[in-house]
Amino acid sequence: MVSARAPLKSLDEAMAELLGHAQPALPTEMVSTFDADGRVLAQDVVSALQVPPQDNSAMDGYAVRCADVAAGVSLPVSQRIAAGNAGAPLQPGTAARIFTGAPVPLGADAIVMQEDCEALDGGQVRINAVPPAGQWIRRAGEDITQGAVVLAAGTRLTPAELGLAASVGLAQLQVARRPRVALFSTGDELVMPGDVAPEQMKPGAIYNSNRFFLRALLLRLGCEVTDFGIVPDQRDATIAALRDASQQHDLILTSGGVSVGEEDHIKPAVETLGTLDLWQIAIKPGKPCAYGRVGAAHFLGLPGNPVSSFVTFLLLVRPFLLRLQGVPVETLDIATKSIAATAHFTWARGDKRREFMRVRRNTAGGVELFANQSSGVLTSAVWGDGLVDNPPGRTIAHGDLVQFIPFATLLN
């Protein structure tokens, strides 16, 4: 168990622990390549053929022998070769009409694009440009060689990867099973949109925004989400929800109830049912973030403040879920996601924790800061297009270089 008085873990230490707990990886399954977008490959994709399978034309035009061509020469057109058809060997002193993607006939050593040719009567063509050897010929195997690993295990598949897998003939792919995630929020103050009209909200009540963006983020990561709704601020209810959620799920994800208040029941409830291995991280926003186990299920508890919950999901939950699916550890370091940018703001007082500030790029090429960096101001995450990763204790002057992490990278 983790003591409430234990020193705060750094983000790097917490990340290393979390990724270590994400082993072993999930079971695997075969899926149609059509349906594999966003899934993580469980084994290498090895090509059984070369791509292209033979030399082919990169242009509509004429296949020729360079030795037969001089500017303005006229050659008889001996054949017509369309994509998907193999032509006969090209006879010396002739040209072959050829189309993009068609196999280059044996004997031809260049393609002259049709814009540099003139079709004549009597089945002749005038060649108006002298080609160098190899012009507009795509060589067999120049994209993929037979036996090459074209996609490595651990690759998270995008449309480009699906096309590449299809290009080597794979109709199905071995991928990690989708993570099964149980999601719930805690807090007697929470109300679901649609249940109560704004004008009828009781004093202290707030709409549950976290439930919406957390579910959307989980779905973007390919998870199967079971929504357990809102759990009241009661110890017995929290224990019951955790016990139910631990059944048939790989991860329990909660928001709220992980701090140290008398109504924060998540931490003691997890410790009642299982173990709590990580609690409180030296980041701002997002200090009250926890990891543990409940039965066979992993547990991650996020803060209740919406910006804290949003940021800690991007920084910690996202890489954890990707690692659980087999994505390599070295690709999950946020240092690989950041780029240098010029600060078009000042930050006069650095915090003792590592800060993640909501910013956006401007037309002048720098990043500007959202005025209110409170962890409850979700508009900052909508206004901004990324985070500045600011080390502990660092002040920032206008014009300083900072490390910028685009939301586009973290939401991918």
Side-chain angles (χ1 to χ4, degrees):
M1 291 186 184
V2 177
S3 168
R5 298 184 181 181
L8 302 184
K9 296 262 184 167
S10 72
L11 178 61
D12 291 338
E13 290 173 321
M15 178 72 75
E17 284 191 28
L18 280 178
L19 297 184
H21 287 302
Q23 291 294 327
L26 294 172
T28 66
E29 61 186 7
M30 292 292 291
V31 300
S32 166
T33 303
F34 273 124
D35 300 322
D37 185 34
R39 305 296 291 271
V40 177
L41 272 179
Q43 63 183 30
D44 292 345
V45 170
V46 179
S47 179
L49 74 165
Q50 61 181 4
V51 179
Q54 61 275 315
D55 291 358
N56 70 86
S57 178
M59 287 287 177
D60 292 343
Y62 293 87
V64 298
R65 293 172 179 265
C66 289
D68 295 335
V69 178
V73 70
S74 296
L75 299 173
V77 180
S78 57
Q79 58 183 311
R80 182 180 187 276
I81 311 172
N85 296 282
L90 184 67
Q91 297 303 311
T94 71
R97 180 70 166 118
I98 196 166
F99 297 90
T100 303
V104 176
L106 186 66
D109 57 6
I111 307 295
V112 183
M113 69 172 67
Q114 62 188 18
E115 290 86 348
D116 291 332
C117 302
E118 182 182 352
L120 304 173
D121 293 338
Q124 299 271 322
V125 63
R126 179 178 292 125
I127 308 296
N128 295 320
V130 178
Q135 176 177 275
W136 300 123
I137 294 176
R138 295 186 290 218
R139 296 300 182 185
E142 72 173 30
D143 185 9
I144 299 169
T145 58
Q146 187 174 8
V149 175
V150 295
L151 295 170
T155 299
R156 189 162 185 237
L157 298 167
T158 69
E161 278 94 3
L162 300 186
L164 187 58
S167 76
V168 298
L170 291 185
Q172 291 187 311
L173 295 169
Q174 189 84 23
V175 299
R177 174 176 58 71
R178 293 184 184 277
R180 297 167 181 163
V181 181
L183 174 66
F184 67 83
S185 308
T186 66
D188 291 339
E189 76 278 13
L190 298 177
V191 175
M192 282 298 291
D195 289 350
V196 180
E199 64 274 11
Q200 297 174 342
M201 292 277 279
K202 296 179 180 179
I206 58 172
Y207 288 119
N208 186 358
S209 60
N210 295 15
R211 186 171 173 184
F212 286 81
F213 66 70
L214 290 176
R215 181 179 181 275
L217 289 166
L218 289 169
L219 292 176
R220 285 194 177 202
L221 288 169
C223 300
E224 295 178 0
V225 182
T226 306
D227 193 335
F228 280 74
I230 300 170
V231 175
D233 283 328
Q234 300 169 12
R235 182 71 54 84
D236 290 345
T238 305
I239 290 173
L242 287 168
R243 183 183 292 113
D244 290 344
S246 69
Q247 306 300 312
Q248 306 301 316
H249 290 96
D250 305 300
L251 171 66
I252 304 167
L253 182 65
T254 67
S255 66
V258 289
S259 192
V260 293
E262 292 181 4
E263 299 301 323
D264 293 316
H265 300 297
I266 288 288
K267 178 179 180 288
V270 170
E271 291 174 324
T272 297
L273 296 173
T275 60
L276 194 69
D277 302 302
L278 175 66
W279 183 52
Q280 297 197 334
I281 301 171
I283 58 174
K284 182 181 180 180
K287 181 179 77 170
C289 185
Y291 170 82
R293 298 294 290 257
V294 179
H298 299 279
F299 164 79
L300 275 167
L302 304 184
N305 279 322
V307 177
S308 299
S309 189
F310 182 72
V311 169
T312 50
F313 185 100
L314 297 181
L315 297 179
L316 294 164
V317 181
R318 178 183 182 273
F320 179 84
L321 284 168
L322 291 175
R323 182 61 187 142
L324 204 62
Q325 296 174 76
V327 173
V329 170
E330 57 270 19
T331 68
L332 299 174
D333 186 351
I334 62 168
T336 66
K337 320 290 184 198
S338 64
I339 55 178
T342 302
H344 285 185
F345 63 90
T346 59
W347 193 247
R349 187 175 63 183
D351 195 89
K352 63 182 179 181
R353 290 173 282 165
R354 185 172 173 181
E355 297 174 283
F356 290 90
M357 298 177 282
R358 280 73 68 207
V359 298
R360 72 176 177 191
R361 288 166 287 195
N362 58 30
T363 55
V367 292
E368 53 193 46
L369 187 72
F370 190 75
N372 189 339
Q373 291 289 311
S374 167
S375 59
V377 180
L378 193 55
T379 49
S380 65
V382 176
W383 175 92
D385 60 8
L387 302 169
V388 160
D389 180 359
N390 193 42
R394 185 196 178 195
T395 60
I396 300 171
H398 194 286
D400 285 350
L401 284 180
V402 294
Q403 291 302 306
F404 171 70
I405 309 173
F407 281 146
T409 300
L410 297 172
L411 295 173
N412 180 18

